[in-house]
């Protein structure tokens, strides 16, 4: 099955929020709470969607996952050059599409998108205690950069070195 990825539009705000809320609820049920409902509500994400930061993965035309892609992250990565990096957050997959294909497609897309923008690294963070999630990122090719306390969160920061674009 072909997975396509497109930029979310303001009309997609509910779709993006639904994917994020579904993931948040599942994580809460598994005893690994991540996002509060208020953090991923349509009202809280609508500005980022309108600014073109969210992308939707579709499997056979159905929304299967989402990712937030940005070119600056001064909250979690204030100590690195912002110009050489792209950052991803809020990677979420609908449960019926779990298994790795959609998340891999979104991460591969993010690497290629960052590469076309001339970035040298794709960076992300996650709760340091989430060993299974960390293993997924490491299995994809991200390497552990460092751990950092950011407000109430202790996060592990990861980077993926992007090969130069072949012309």
């Amino acid at each position: 099955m072909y997975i396509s990825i497109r930029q979310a539009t303001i009309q997609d705000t509910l779709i993006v929020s639904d994917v994020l809320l579904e993931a948040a609820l599942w994580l809460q049920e598994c005893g690994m709470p991540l996002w509060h409902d208020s953090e991923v509500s349509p009202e809280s994400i609508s500005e980022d969607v309108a600014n073109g930061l969210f992308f939707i993965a579709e499997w056979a035309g159905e929304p299967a996952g989402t990712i937030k892609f940005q070119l600056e992250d001064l909250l979690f990565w204030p100590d690195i050059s912002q110009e050489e990096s792209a950052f991803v957050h809020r990677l979420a997959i609908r449960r019926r599409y779990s298994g790795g294909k959609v998340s891999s497609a979104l991460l591969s897309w993010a690497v290629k998108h960052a590469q076309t923008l001339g970035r040298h690294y794709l960076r992300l963070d996650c709760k340091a205690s989430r060993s299974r999630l960390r293993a997924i990122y490491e299995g994809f090719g991200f390497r552990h950069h460092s751990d950092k306390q950011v407000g109430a969160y202790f996060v592990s920061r990861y980077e993926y070195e992007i090969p130069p674009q072949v012309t």
Side-chain angles (χ1 to χ4, degrees):
M1 194 59 62
Y2 179 71
I3 299 168
S4 62
I5 297 167
R6 65 175 177 82
Q7 191 169 38
T9 66
I10 194 68
Q11 291 82 12
D12 295 315
T13 302
L14 277 176
I15 292 169
V16 172
S17 179
D18 284 347
V19 173
L20 292 167
L21 284 166
E22 182 180 318
L25 179 61
W26 179 76
L27 288 167
Q28 187 173 352
E29 289 171 353
C30 292
M32 300 179 291
L34 180 59
W35 304 309
H36 297 287
D37 290 357
S38 62
E39 293 177 283
V40 293
S41 69
E43 298 77 23
S44 66
I45 66 166
S46 64
E47 185 177 336
D48 286 341
V49 173
N51 288 331
L53 299 181
F54 275 97
F55 293 80
I56 297 173
E58 294 178 330
W59 186 312
E62 292 295 316
T66 190
I67 195 167
K68 183 178 176 185
F69 182 94
Q70 56 196 77
L71 298 178
E72 184 177 87
D73 184 351
L74 295 171
L75 180 61
F76 290 96
W77 293 89
D79 53 333
I80 57 106
S81 168
Q82 301 291 303
E83 294 78 25
E84 68 179 13
S85 302
F87 307 87
V88 291
H89 291 284
R90 309 266 169 143
L91 173 64
I93 310 301
R94 288 196 182 275
R95 295 309 310 146
R96 68 177 170 266
Y97 298 104
S98 65
K101 288 185 172 132
V102 177
S103 59
S104 290
L106 281 163
L107 290 171
S108 294
W109 170 86
V111 166
K112 288 183 182 102
H113 190 53
Q115 184 182 49
T116 63
L117 297 171
R119 303 297 169 125
H120 301 291
Y121 296 95
L122 181 64
R123 292 189 159 111
L124 57 81
D125 63 86
C126 65
K127 281 180 86 172
S129 61
R130 304 266 324 269
S131 57
R132 286 180 57 201
L133 182 58
R134 292 176 65 176
I136 290 169
Y137 292 141
E138 290 167 7
F140 183 84
F142 282 87
R143 80 170 179 85
H144 183 254
H145 176 279
S146 58
D147 294 326
K148 184 171 181 61
Q149 187 74 42
V150 180
Y153 300 101
F154 185 65
V155 298
S156 290
R157 303 188 308 171
Y158 281 87
E159 65 184 12
Y160 184 100
E161 190 167 354
I162 299 171
Q165 195 167 4
V166 179
T167 54

